[in-house]
Amino acid sequence: MSANMLEVKDLHAYYGKSHVLQGVDFKVGRGEIVSLLGRNGVGRSTTCKAIMGLVAPHGTIEFDGESVAGLKSHQVARRGIGYVPEDRLIFSGLTTRENLEMGAKKVGAKTGWSLQDAYELFPRLSERADVKADLLSGGEQQMLTMCRTLMGDPKLIMIDEPTEGLAPQIVSQVGDFLLAIADKGISVLLVEQRLSIAMRVSHRVYVMGHGRIVFEGTPADLEADDSVRREWLEV
Amino acid sequence: MRPTLSHFAVAGSPVMLESIVFSVLNGLLYGMLLFMLASGLTLIFGMMGVLNFAHASFYMLGAYCAYTISSYTNFWVALILAPLFVGFLGALTERFGLRNVHKHGHVAELLLTFGLVYVIDELVVLIWGQIPVNYAIPPSLDFTLFTLFGTSFPAYRAFILFVAIAMFGAIYLLLVRTRVGMIIRAALSHPEMVGALGHDVPRIFTLVFAFGTGLAGLAGVMAGNYYITEPGMAFSMGPIVFVVVVFGGLGSLGGALAASLIIGLVTTFAVSLNYSIADLLAAVGLGLDGANIAGGLAHIDLSRIGQMLPYLMMVLILIFRPRGLMGARES
């Protein structure tokens, strides 16, 4: 059993001719919440997509001690990586319940997460179980998309910008949710622009700039480092 | 029979009523046949983003396979086996053709299906020859179901309607009530997310392609003996199915059903209502001289532009509502 859940070494990725990831290195430990911070366009989302096999990765991606680089996305998911994309990608023709059922990889498989767990965590989803998912509010859709991925019983979950466009009260709910799933032993890779939530929930943070990692440390380290914040984070 | 002024006067009479009843029945029949083809085509497009040019070729294969199978056994065996065989050919096409060119983008996929049209066409001529084959309606269904106002309605037409409606019900239940159907519906909106949740999307693509081409094959089995089984049947059916899918909205099953029925009814009514603008004008007491251009146009029967109407409708809907009746995306 490897000490790290996810270990990424010298990861490169390209969109056509543009070299988006230029050697990204980071690790996520078991049960650890790690944030990937940085401004728009520095390659945070692409990092998630490359791990997920949605963008062709060049480099090393080890998950739970095994290489997942070059696998198809459904194979990566079946190894135990869950992905919550930035644009949520709710299945609009399906109801809330069906969206959740889509997350389960097999019918009736014994998993750590059930519909009931999702409903308990977010009672709103239970109330709106039979409503078409595109009628949910932004906050409800975010809860739905996170629970949908959890239904697949991931060992690590990558969540891209979960708080974008959400009201402060819901942002704090998302934070509680992340702490709750990490409590269950699930590793979390959080991609964020909002410093406050990342500082609150993370064990460690990485800052990205120009397709590379430019800072690694604890939230306290980042708090103390004005120059990194000024150069790579503040707008 | 060319209608005269008196036909307008007797609207509501049995003659008019007969024409309407049979036009509705035949329009529904043609519409449901179109839907058998359009449903598969629109599902394949909605999910894979590929317009399968060869879709009507699979329809033709269905008819020819049914002819050959029924010549050794009987129609009922062909009804089961021919669509399965065509679906199997569809699965091979997706697995070893489309999947390999998928990474080169939709244009490559489109060109592959385009080439396939001609390959299948030539193969059909090589195997079965240029002249129509004698694929006949089975004797057990070759009788008059009912006679209304002196016109008979063949049982086989009712059988086509029955099979088409049963097929629609089956697709509906499959999509709405089963887990596979749910995954297919989800993949219609975000296939990459379906994959990221751990579902094998390429396998679903193969399945849907096989299913869609199998339905086209079924339509071929049903229509091959109702019309004529000959090498030109793919070319005569292909364009109109595209019109249906575009008109209904690419990727929308409900839209495909609505468009199939509308176009089926419109073309059938246009053919049976044998009036021209000149007849209408004459009916209200205005004569038009056929010698000048306006008069010439006005003397063209509705039945003669009936074949053009669906294409005109497609052009108009593309101008005024590019996503079609119920389509989700603009393309």
Side-chain angles (χ1 to χ4, degrees), chain A residues 49-61:
Chain A
K49 286 181 181 161
I51 293 169
M52 212 56 222
L54 295 167
V55 170
H58 304 269
T60 308
I61 306 168

Side-chain angles (χ1 to χ4, degrees), chain B residues 125-150:
Chain B
V125 172
L126 276 176
I127 297 172
W128 286 284
Q130 281 284 4
I131 48 170
V133 295
N134 181 27
Y135 173 34
I137 291 171
S140 51
L141 287 173
D142 200 6
F143 60 94
T144 298
L145 190 64
F146 61 85
T147 304
L148 198 65
F149 314 116

